[in-house]
Amino acid sequence: MVGYNPNSPGAALTPEEAALAGSAAGMVTRALISPLDVVKIRFQLQIEQVSWRRRQGKYWGLWQATRCIMTEEGLPAFWKGHVPAQLLSVCYGAVQFASFEALTELVHKQTAYNSQTPGVHFICGGLAACSATVACQPLDTLRTRFAAQGEPKMYHNLRHAVATMFRTEGPFTFYRGLTPTLVAVFPYAGLQFFFYNILKKLLDPQDTKSKGGLHSLISGSCAGVISKTMTYPFDLIKKRLQVGGFEEARMKFGQVRTYHGFVDCVLRIGREERLRGFFKGLSPSLLKAALSTGFTFFCCRSK
């Protein structure tokens, strides 16, 4: 079971072991789901409607976008930004799972609450994700910029991107989109741990070892899909804000917008793209969430 469990038959994970498990899980899953992440980001940033019925923009479907990226940019394009993405996954996974283990242990030892209840997992999971987000936001912004650019590249490598962004936009550009990220990440991560806790207990009430890995995979995948669907609009808003100042590299993809903060972004998307605009890229995002969350909980459960 993920989280501090005083009744576990084996030795409980220390925060350091949880950090190592979270890092390893993040690294493996990032390599697997990177193509879905690139397609998702391209959908999220497209102002025109993403629809095969009304083909207005550059991308109008999952398979069409995949073929288009492959034809125009080649297979490596699906791993654009992979270096900052891997650093993000390792850092985020380490901070999140170490914080979660430490917080659930603190709850067990310092309060009267059971550390394995869904409510405790929701609060501790949300707080752990907020800690990881603040620590890793610059890497997330860099990953988004790399995934969003086409050919020819505006940023040639990680060092060039950091230097260019710092020189032209200032240090705070690395924290673009932090507000919607924090607003979304608490319920998103909290719901992940919450639903994982419930589903895992339903599938494996005795927490047995024989099928524990499979149950963790299924529970994690379902938890990822549910939590991502409920908080998805905030992820889209974050991506739109992260590419502010990056309009030149986005011109060839279609219309571009410059947003002046979180509220302006919400209002303009609602006015220009309607409710559906907040859910662009949901289908590849749900596939990504199912795979990444399932494998992450599976790897951490298996440690």
Side-chain angles (χ1 to χ4, degrees), residues 69-251:
I69 294 171
M70 173 74 81
T71 302
E72 295 181 354
E73 304 171 52
L75 185 63
F78 292 104
W79 281 268
K80 280 186 174 180
H82 191 58
V83 173
Q86 279 289 15
L87 293 174
L88 170 66
S89 296
V90 170
C91 175
Y92 193 95
V95 175
Q96 183 184 31
F97 278 91
S99 299
F100 185 72
E101 289 289 331
L103 287 169
T104 50
E105 183 176 0
L106 180 67
V107 168
H108 172 74
K109 293 181 176 179
Q110 301 295 329
T111 72
Y113 293 102
N114 182 349
S115 63
Q116 285 296 308
T117 60
V120 169
H121 274 209
F122 176 82
I123 299 296
C124 293
L127 291 173
C130 287
S131 301
T133 296
V134 173
C136 306
Q137 181 70 9
L139 292 169
D140 191 24
T141 300
L142 286 164
R143 184 275 309 265
T144 299
R145 294 284 184 102
F146 276 109
Q149 69 178 353
E151 298 290 341
K153 297 182 177 71
M154 185 172 180
Y155 303 131
H156 306 302
N157 52 50
L158 184 59
R159 180 189 298 178
H160 180 244
V162 172
T164 302
M165 291 169 65
F166 186 87
R167 184 179 65 254
T168 60
E169 302 173 54
F172 292 109
T173 193
F174 295 101
Y175 283 90
R176 285 180 184 268
L178 182 61
T179 299
T181 305
L182 290 176
V183 170
V185 77
F186 186 97
Y188 173 62
L191 289 168
Q192 271 188 354
F193 286 101
F194 176 84
F195 284 115
Y196 174 82
N197 178 286
I198 291 176
L199 293 168
K200 185 68 169 61
K201 288 181 177 178
L202 288 174
L203 291 173
D204 191 12
Q206 303 301 319
D207 197 22
T208 58
K209 294 289 185 181
S210 58
K211 295 184 179 180
L214 177 61
H215 291 157
S216 290
L217 181 64
I218 296 172
S219 300
S221 296
C222 293
V225 169
I226 295 169
S227 56
K228 175 58 72 175
T229 302
M230 296 176 70
T231 60
Y232 185 76
F234 292 102
D235 186 49
L236 182 140
I237 294 165
K238 175 187 73 173
K239 292 293 185 288
R240 295 283 180 96
L241 293 175
Q242 283 179 329
V243 295
F246 191 58
E247 290 80 8
E248 181 182 346
R250 298 290 308 156
M251 291 291 185

Side-chain angles (χ1 to χ4, degrees), residues 265-281:
C265 185
V266 173
L267 293 176
R268 292 184 65 181
I269 292 174
R271 184 171 63 249
E272 297 175 0
E273 304 170 55
R274 305 300 179 187
L275 181 62
R276 292 184 63 181
F278 291 102
F279 291 91
K280 286 179 177 176

